[in-house]
């Protein structure tokens, strides 16, 4: 088996040394001295202990971030800022294999995905936003000839960023890239399930030469812990959050104290719609990428597959044939296509949704259990239910696992209505050879991203975010610059 042996583990030195919070350019223990364990989901073994940061640590980090903002970082020329972000991207590429292994060990995802998606996109995201640092502009406005009127684009200030465990390193990049390009300082809380790559990237940021206090990392939990302390902090100017819808609501409420700005990227229940005129083989591959990529732990996962009735049976047989050939195993094994879920909690949650689907009358086409060949690890077989209707819980709630709900349809209007009958609106996809139909559907689906004849395609230049309860604000592209900058209008009196 090609599982990397311990001696080949490029991240073994990092794993072995004590983990610390990053506050004011220094690696320090939590004030409380408390730590918690992070687990390898493929083996259930403890990977490392990390500090359990709390309110006092967040307070220290916010003070350091404020000092950096008012000090060296705030005064730095934008081309210097750009250079530091570029340097971070270079260091990430230099350590790409090590970071990929660390991400796979902490999260479980297949190493090929960690290396060619997570690490590659992380570096690209920093590089993209490094370019923005020198391209921020205000405007002059011809409002009234008695005044010279212009706008300045300024950083929002100290920003708190709370991220999930499904793409730890990449979510950090989506948050840090635009925040740093705009000249903000950051207090980041990684997810408690996957704190390791954030800390390693913190080291690389220090190596790149960011001034003390510009980036701070507090590992810890959400409620009554570092997450809560960030979301209700009176000296944090903005919070960016990615995670569960219910947590999003808590963050919004907590923001009321100082009315800090909030951006949210929450869940999804994306419709993936295949018309009979589509390239069926391409759509089958797209359906697989749509639901099984990252073990289904993707906010934009194509978890509702709408199949036009005339192709339903052909599609299902091709789909289940391909699924039967998928290799599930340890993420470090180069041949693995589907790894374990991130945690026991997530595995159990997914298995309970499988039970609910059975009870509600959906038919199991494949999978449906934890695979018996893996004695350890939080695995769930790739699972498909047919005969699902849009009112079943499995079609309404975010399962966040490798569980696909197949819903047959007959007409355009029927499927458009059903696709939009969800409280979420993050993404959707349409498979057809008919250009008109594709454009019409792209307009009709109420979601922030629509893929036509593709799935899960991303680029740092293309905005991403939700309609409805999938959140608000757009990350990536120039739209993220809006999230992390303030506009100031200046009026100069020209009257004699
Ligand atoms: P979560 O939303 O609780 O956790 C995400 C982040 O928020 C973590 O860093 C966590 O520590 C923090 N957090 C939790 N409670 C908080 C609070 N009260 N105040 C401040 N920060 C808080 O998500 P969880 O519990 O890990 O996963 C549960 C479900 O949420 C998943 O099954 C999935 O359906 C959904 N989810 C969606 C994600 C997405 O990308 N949209 C990512 C992760 C989870
Ligand atoms: Mg939670």
């Amino acid at each position: 088996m090609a599982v990397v042996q311990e001696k080949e583990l490029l991240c073994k030195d990092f794993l072995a040394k004590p983990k610390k919070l990053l506050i004011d350019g220094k690696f320090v223990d939590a004030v409380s001295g408390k730590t918690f364990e992070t687990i390898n989901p493929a083996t259930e073994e403890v990977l490392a202990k990390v500090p359990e940061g709390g309110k006092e640590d967040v307070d220290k980090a916010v003070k350091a971030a404020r000092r950096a903002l008012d000090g060296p970082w705030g005064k730095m020329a934008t081309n210097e800022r750009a250079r530091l972000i570029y340097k971070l991207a270079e260091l990430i590429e230099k350590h790409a294999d090590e970071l990929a292994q660390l991400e796979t060990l902490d999260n479980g995802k297949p190493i090929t995905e960690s290396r060619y998606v997570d690490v590659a996109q992380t570096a690209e995201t920093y590089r993209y936003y490094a370019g923005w640092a020198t391209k921020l502009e205000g405007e002059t406005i011809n409002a009234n000839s008695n005044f010279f009127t212009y706008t300045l684009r300024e950083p929002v200030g100290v920003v708190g960023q709370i991220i999930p465990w499904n793409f730890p390193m990449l979510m950090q990049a989506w948050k840090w890239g635009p925040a740093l390009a705009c000249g903000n300082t950051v207090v980041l809380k990684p997810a408690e399930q996957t704190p390791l790559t954030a800390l390693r990237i913190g080291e690389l940021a220090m190596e790149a030469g960011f001034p003390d206090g510009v980036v701070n990392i507090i590992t810890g939990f959400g409620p009554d812990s570092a997450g809560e302390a960030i979301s209700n902090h009176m000296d944090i100017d903005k919070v960016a959050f990615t995670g569960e819808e219910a947590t999003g609501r808590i963050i919004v409420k907590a923001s009321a104290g100082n009315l800090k700005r909030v951006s949210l990227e929450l869940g999804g229940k994306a419709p993936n719609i295949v018309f009979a005129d589509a390239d069926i083989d391409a759509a089958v591959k797209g359906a697989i990428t749509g639901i099984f990529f990252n073990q289904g732990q993707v906010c934009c996962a194509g978890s509702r597959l709408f199949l036009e009735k005339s192709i339903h049976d052909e599609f299902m047989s091709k789909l289940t044939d391909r699924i039967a050939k998928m290799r599930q195993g340890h993420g470090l094994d180069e041949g693995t296509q589907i790894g374990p879920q991130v945690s026991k909690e997530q595995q159990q949650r997914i298995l309970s949704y499988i039970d609910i689907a059975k009870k509600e009358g959906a038919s199991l086409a494949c999978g449906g259990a934890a695979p018996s060949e893996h004695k350890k690890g939080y695995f769930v077989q790739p699972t498909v239910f047919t005969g699902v209707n849009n009112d079943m819980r499995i079609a309404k709630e975010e399962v966040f696992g490798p569980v696909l709900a197949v819903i047959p349809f007959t007409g355009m209007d029927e499927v458009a209505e059903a696709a939009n009958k969800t409280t979420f609106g993050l993404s959707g996809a349409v498979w057809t050879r008919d250009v008109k139909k594709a454009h019409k559907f792209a307009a009709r689906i109420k979601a922030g991203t629509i893929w036509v004849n593709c799935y899960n395609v991303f680029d740092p230049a293309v905005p991403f975010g939700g309609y409805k309860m999938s959140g608000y604000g757009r990350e990536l592209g120039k739209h993220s610059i809006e999230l992390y900058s303030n506009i100031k209008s200046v009026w100069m009196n020209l009257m004699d």
Side-chain angles (χ1 to χ4, degrees):
M1 208 165 60
V3 173
V4 176
Q5 299 301 309
E6 210 178 317
K7 64 175 168 39
E8 297 170 37
L9 262 189
L10 297 166
C11 57
K12 74 174 189 301
D13 291 346
F14 177 76
L15 278 176
K17 72 180 182 189
K19 308 297 173 296
K20 309 272 183 179
L21 309 174
L22 174 57
I23 300 177
D24 205 11
K26 282 149 211 86
F27 287 92
V28 296
D29 291 322
V31 170
S32 69
K34 285 204 241 170
T35 60
F36 65 98
E37 292 173 340
T38 181
I39 309 285
N40 177 347
T43 61
E44 307 183 24
E45 284 162 11
V46 175
L47 270 173
K49 280 187 182 164
V50 296
E52 185 181 331
K55 186 177 179 318
E56 290 156 302
D57 306 288
V58 170
D59 283 342
K60 278 170 61 187
V62 172
K63 286 202 179 86
R66 183 65 62 190
R67 274 196 304 274
L69 189 72
D70 295 339
W73 183 246
K75 298 190 176 87
M76 190 180 279
T78 54
N79 61 341
E80 286 299 321
R81 217 149 78 193
R83 217 167 271 159
L84 287 171
I85 307 172
Y86 274 123
K87 180 84 181 149
L88 179 58
E90 275 165 24
L91 287 171
I92 287 166
E93 280 179 345
K94 184 174 161 199
H95 296 278
D97 290 324
E98 176 202 339
L99 286 164
Q101 287 178 355
L102 197 57
E103 198 76 311
T104 285
L105 286 170
D106 214 10
N107 168 282
K109 63 178 72 198
I111 188 73
T112 47
E113 289 179 14
S114 295
R115 179 68 183 82
Y116 299 108
V117 180
D118 297 67
V119 177
Q121 284 292 309
T122 294
E124 280 310 310
T125 302
Y126 284 115
R127 201 163 269 136
Y128 173 81
Y129 280 108
W132 267 105
T134 50
K135 290 160 197 75
L136 303 173
E137 291 176 344
E139 59 207 323
T140 59
I141 301 163
N142 301 335
N144 181 326
S145 58
N146 288 325
F147 297 88
F148 170 49
T149 318
Y150 63 94
T151 60
L152 294 172
R153 188 175 286 277
E154 297 184 345
V156 176
V158 175
V159 302
Q161 303 181 320
I162 301 174
I163 58 171
W165 41 259
N166 52 346
F167 296 93
M169 209 180 335
L170 189 55
M171 289 301 103
Q172 182 177 5
W174 284 26
K175 302 279 183 282
W176 278 21
L180 297 173
C182 291
N184 300 277
T185 54
V186 171
V187 179
L188 174 87
K189 194 198 83 64
E192 55 271 33
Q193 297 84 352
T194 55
L196 295 179
T197 46
L199 294 176
R200 182 68 184 112
I201 287 192
E203 290 185 349
L204 297 178
M206 291 299 100
E207 190 180 331
F210 282 91
D212 293 349
V214 173
V215 289
N216 302 274
I217 303 171
I218 310 291
T219 49
F221 295 86
D224 303 316
S225 183
E228 187 176 307
I230 288 174
S231 59
N232 65 21
H233 204 286
M234 294 299 280
D235 199 32
I236 287 183
D237 301 296
K238 173 197 162 58
V239 163
F241 171 74
T242 299
E244 187 178 0
E245 180 198 325
T247 315
R249 282 176 216 280
I250 295 172
I251 303 244
V252 170
K253 285 192 187 134
S255 73
N258 69 339
L259 293 170
K260 60 172 67 67
R261 287 163 65 166
V262 179
S263 52
L264 301 172
E265 201 263 271
L266 309 173
K269 198 72 209 178
N272 188 7
I273 303 165
V274 186
F275 286 102
D277 65 5
D279 174 342
I280 300 300
D281 292 325
V284 167
K285 283 188 209 157
I288 287 185
T289 307
I291 189 64
F292 300 127
F293 174 60
N294 207 30
Q295 294 68 246
Q297 302 165 142
V298 184
C299 45
C300 54
S303 50
R304 289 183 298 152
L305 178 65
F306 289 93
L307 294 181
E308 193 156 7
K309 272 188 186 139
S310 59
I311 52 149
H312 180 279
D313 293 353
E314 176 198 353
F315 195 101
M316 280 309 301
S317 109
K318 288 184 167 174
L319 182 72
T320 46
D321 280 356
R322 279 191 90 91
I323 293 171
K325 295 189 192 109
M326 286 182 78
R327 279 185 56 187
Q328 186 162 36
H330 196 301
L332 286 184
D333 186 332
E334 294 276 347
T336 290
Q337 292 166 301
I338 183 159
Q341 308 308 129
V342 73
S343 65
K344 185 163 187 85
E345 188 185 353
Q346 287 298 314
Q347 181 204 38
Q348 294 306 313
R349 180 189 152 111
I350 296 160
L351 293 174
S352 80
Y353 270 107
I354 291 174
D355 279 346
I356 292 167
K358 287 179 187 160
K359 285 194 189 111
E360 287 188 333
S363 324
L364 188 63
C366 65
S372 54
E373 65 269 28
H374 298 291
K375 299 289 171 252
K376 289 274 180 201
Y378 310 126
F379 294 91
V380 176
Q381 290 170 330
T383 298
V384 181
F385 282 101
T386 54
V388 176
N389 74 55
N390 217 18
D391 296 319
M392 292 180 181
R393 281 184 64 191
I394 196 165
K396 289 202 289 202
E397 296 170 25
E398 188 172 48
V399 176
F400 228 59
V403 182
L404 181 63
V406 180
I407 307 171
F409 73 91
T410 37
M412 290 258 286
D413 288 333
E414 178 196 332
V415 72
E417 196 185 316
N420 282 327
K421 208 177 154 211
T422 166
T423 55
F424 294 114
L426 195 56
S427 61
V430 183
W431 299 81
T432 176
R433 286 190 169 103
D434 180 338
V435 176
K436 267 195 212 165
K437 211 191 272 177
H439 282 298
K440 280 186 184 156
F441 261 78
R444 265 178 99 162
I445 304 300
K446 291 184 175 51
T449 294
I450 304 295
W451 287 293
V452 179
N453 297 332
C454 56
Y455 210 98
N456 277 341
V457 192
F458 281 90
D459 190 285
V462 182
F464 184 79
Y467 279 43
K468 301 193 265 184
M469 291 193 205
S470 292
Y472 41 78
R474 290 289 175 275
E475 297 191 288
L476 301 184
K478 65 182 176 201
H479 301 272
S480 209
I481 299 299
E482 299 300 329
L483 297 183
Y484 288 99
S485 58
N486 268 332
I487 296 291
K488 176 185 282 176
S489 300
V490 182
W491 294 76
M492 297 265 297
N493 189 346
L494 302 181
M495 285 187 275
D496 294 324

